[in-house]
Amino acid sequence: MARPLRFRHAPGRWTEDRVVGQIYRDLDRNLGATRRRPWFKQPARYRGERFEMDNGDVALFLWNDDEAYWLGNTETPEALWRTEKYSFEDIPDDVSRWATRELTAQLHDESPWLKPYPHLSWYFLPVFLSKDGRETTLAFFDEHAAGFPDATREEALEFYETFFRTRVLDPWREVMAGKLGTSEYLDLTRMTAAMGEFNVAHVLVEAGYEIEPEIEVSTGHAIDYRAEGQDSEAVLVEVTRPTPTGERRAGTPVAAVRDTAATKSDGQLEEHGGGVTLFVDCSSFPDDEWQSVIAEKPEVHHRPAVVFRLRPDGRVEGYTKGSVPLTLPF
């Protein structure tokens, strides 16, 4: 699986002849390329280039006498193969802002249904326009309502737009957005599991907790979140998300919940040796399947645990097992 979009930094002197010879001609020879002026004014100390390939790929290039920055969802020219890669957050702000404006404009031109959701567009920009994931990630939000059953695209997008507008996960954008994946094959199981982490973040933030993702622990694993309230100790939270019974071998929704939780608790959580609250996100379940779960409230092979279902209007239902060290709205 390819990674989300990242910049390449190429120190050294760049000239018109070098750009044409080592960048443009390489792209044109391999893919067919058109060299265009950028859509937006580049940072003052650079010259800006926009390369559009015949297959729909695009690349941005900033250069001057001292260095160059490359960003593209296409083949990398050979002259840049050994250059270092950096995230949007790890390069100069004006370079990042310019590239973000260029790519956001392209994203909204190609997928105008995303334009009303600027925060969501920004957060997932590195995967929405990634080399292998630009079709699958967009289809996940467009055609599958980001994993919500019986919901419209607009309902799902408005929910996540409201959440990302809080900016609580901005500092971890690259790793968290990257969990959605950039595969050319649509993997609904992986993508809905990734959104489960955002669902849990929403529940915790709404309950008044400050959160930090990707907490490294002594077993070598990373626990999904640390949640801390004003008057409480920090709590480690791990997330799992069962798929509906129509998409798995488990014969009933209750079995789906038990099996998925067991996989997590018998592996990563067992190695950790306790001290983690397991959240089981059943937001992929349609109404009838969820009602059978909430009616039976099955054990999930781990305590403390939270089993819940979130809807895109913000409604959340659930139950707990064991002494959950968090105050939740159910």
Side-chain angles (χ1 to χ4, degrees):
M1 183 175 5
R3 296 193 63 182
L5 284 177
R6 302 187 84 197
F7 288 84
R8 286 182 177 270
H9 179 237
R13 186 169 184 266
W14 287 83
T15 64
E16 173 73 14
D17 288 345
R18 188 181 179 191
V19 171
V20 171
Q22 296 186 4
I23 304 298
Y24 170 66
R25 287 180 183 164
D26 193 335
L27 294 171
D28 192 41
R29 181 172 55 252
N30 293 334
L31 299 168
T34 301
R35 185 184 180 191
R36 301 191 185 280
R37 294 180 60 85
W39 294 354
F40 297 93
K41 185 177 179 180
Q42 67 272 13
R45 64 189 185 281
Y46 296 100
R47 285 190 57 178
E49 312 285 347
R50 183 181 179 93
F51 298 103
E52 297 177 357
M53 272 48 78
D54 292 350
N55 65 357
D57 293 353
V58 66
L60 305 175
F61 195 64
L62 288 177
W63 57 277
N64 59 23
D65 288 341
D66 301 313
E67 61 183 350
Y69 286 96
W70 159 275
L71 181 70
N73 56 20
T74 191
E75 293 182 9
T76 303
E78 185 175 353
L80 303 174
W81 283 357
R82 294 176 179 83
T83 53
E84 294 293 330
K85 295 180 181 180
Y86 296 92
S87 71
F88 280 77
E89 289 70 38
D90 292 332
I91 62 168
D93 288 344
D94 55 350
V95 174
S96 181
R97 285 194 301 267
W98 172 77
T100 297
R101 292 186 72 192
E102 288 277 338
L103 294 183
T104 301
Q106 177 179 330
L107 175 67
H108 290 164
D109 181 64
E110 296 174 351
S111 305
W113 49 272
L114 275 172
K115 193 170 184 178
Y117 313 102
H119 292 82
L120 176 71
S121 297
W122 173 81
Y123 203 87
F124 289 108
L125 186 65
V127 294
F128 280 158
L129 289 180
S130 60
K131 182 177 181 180
D132 292 329
R134 59 186 187 267
E135 293 184 4
T136 53
T137 52
L138 289 168
F140 176 64
F141 282 89
D142 183 17
E143 302 169 16
H144 299 277
F148 283 120
D150 305 319
T152 66
R153 177 186 72 190
E154 288 74 20
E155 289 170 337
L157 292 175
E158 184 57 41
F159 170 76
Y160 286 116
E161 171 71 10
T162 300
F163 171 71
F164 287 115
R165 197 181 297 146
T166 66
R167 298 193 176 279
V168 295
L169 291 178
D170 279 9
W172 302 277
R173 173 197 183 197
E174 182 181 31
V175 64
M176 294 300 291
K179 291 186 177 188
L180 193 61
T182 56
S183 171
E184 60 182 318
Y185 302 104
L186 183 64
D187 186 339
L188 292 178
T189 299
R190 188 194 67 245
M191 290 181 171
T192 53
M195 299 312 292
E197 294 190 30
F198 295 114
N199 292 346
V200 169
H202 165 80
V203 170
L204 292 171
V205 170
E206 287 294 299
Y209 293 94
E210 294 185 1
I211 59 174
E212 180 181 345
E214 296 300 291
I215 305 303
E216 294 185 4
V217 293
S218 58
T219 60
H221 294 103
I223 300 298
D224 289 327
Y225 290 108
R226 177 192 292 118
E228 190 167 359
Q230 291 184 350
D231 301 315
S232 61
E233 294 184 0
V235 177
L236 294 178
V237 169
E238 185 66 15
V239 182
T240 192
R241 183 165 176 167
T243 56
T245 56
E247 302 172 21
R248 59 182 293 128
R249 293 180 180 178
T252 67
V254 168
V257 169
R258 285 174 173 161
D259 290 353
T260 301
T263 298
K264 179 73 71 170
S265 60
D266 291 344
Q268 180 177 346
L269 296 186
E270 184 177 49
E271 288 186 39
H272 186 264
V276 179
T277 299
L278 177 64
F279 273 64
V280 183
D281 176 19
C282 297
S283 299
S284 295
F285 285 16
D287 289 343
D288 57 342
E289 294 194 8
W290 170 245
Q291 289 306 316
S292 66
V293 172
I294 196 68
E296 187 170 332
K297 295 182 174 59
E299 292 287 345
V300 293
H301 303 280
H302 180 87
R303 290 193 176 204
V306 178
V307 182
F308 77 100
R309 179 181 186 245
L310 177 68
R311 295 296 294 156
D313 61 4
R315 287 181 294 123
V316 61
E317 293 181 286
Y319 67 92
T320 62
K321 291 292 184 178
S323 300
V324 174
L326 298 161
T327 302
L328 300 171
F330 48 80

